[in-house]
Amino acid sequence: LDMEKGRLGKHGFTRPEHWGRKYARHPDTGILFEGYDIPWCREAIDLAMKLHRFYYANYSIGWDLAIAESGPVFIEANRGWGPYVHLIVEDQFVDKFFQFFG
């Protein structure tokens, strides 16, 4: 995800427990990931940051948000969010993570 532009990158991934597959297109809809604009992306990021202020003692939370026609909607927060996909697809993920939270 390019958070500045609100667009997806080249591939989507499933978690390791779901066979850890890599896709250029969504397996159900066939939509191409690369360059796909996420509606309400900036607002979703802002919502997650706003909600996180209520959980300041937890420095890392997995925020599950949905994108509705009217904007982002909070679903749940996960303390044990699992960085597995990030470890696979993002260069230097651990170093970046500890730069912020180490």
Side-chain angles (χ1 to χ4, degrees):
L1 173 65
D2 181 330
M3 291 185 2
E4 297 300 318
K5 295 179 181 175
R7 291 188 186 132
L8 293 180
K10 191 171 185 173
H11 294 105
F13 300 85
T14 56
R15 296 187 310 199
E17 63 267 27
H18 297 284
W19 305 103
R21 293 186 178 151
K22 177 171 121 175
Y23 299 91
R25 294 181 175 276
H26 190 281
D28 295 329
T29 66
I31 293 173
L32 183 68
F33 286 120
E34 187 171 24
Y36 183 86
D37 289 318
I38 303 295
W40 305 99
C41 186
R42 181 76 256 163
E43 292 82 357
I45 293 167
D46 291 344
L47 176 58
M49 292 174 68
K50 178 180 177 181
L51 292 169
H52 197 87
R53 291 186 194 113
F54 293 101
Y55 297 95
Y56 55 87
N58 294 310
Y59 61 86
S60 180
I61 298 174
W63 294 100
D64 290 352
L65 303 173
I67 304 296
E69 288 185 21
S70 59
V73 178
F74 168 72
I75 297 173
E76 67 179 1
N78 297 285
R79 197 173 93 190
W81 56 274
Y84 313 114
V85 171
H86 302 281
L87 289 167
I88 295 168
V89 301
E90 189 170 338
D91 292 335
Q92 306 299 318
F93 174 76
V94 173
D95 293 337
K96 291 175 186 175
F97 184 87
F98 283 114
Q99 176 185 347
F100 291 104
F101 306 113

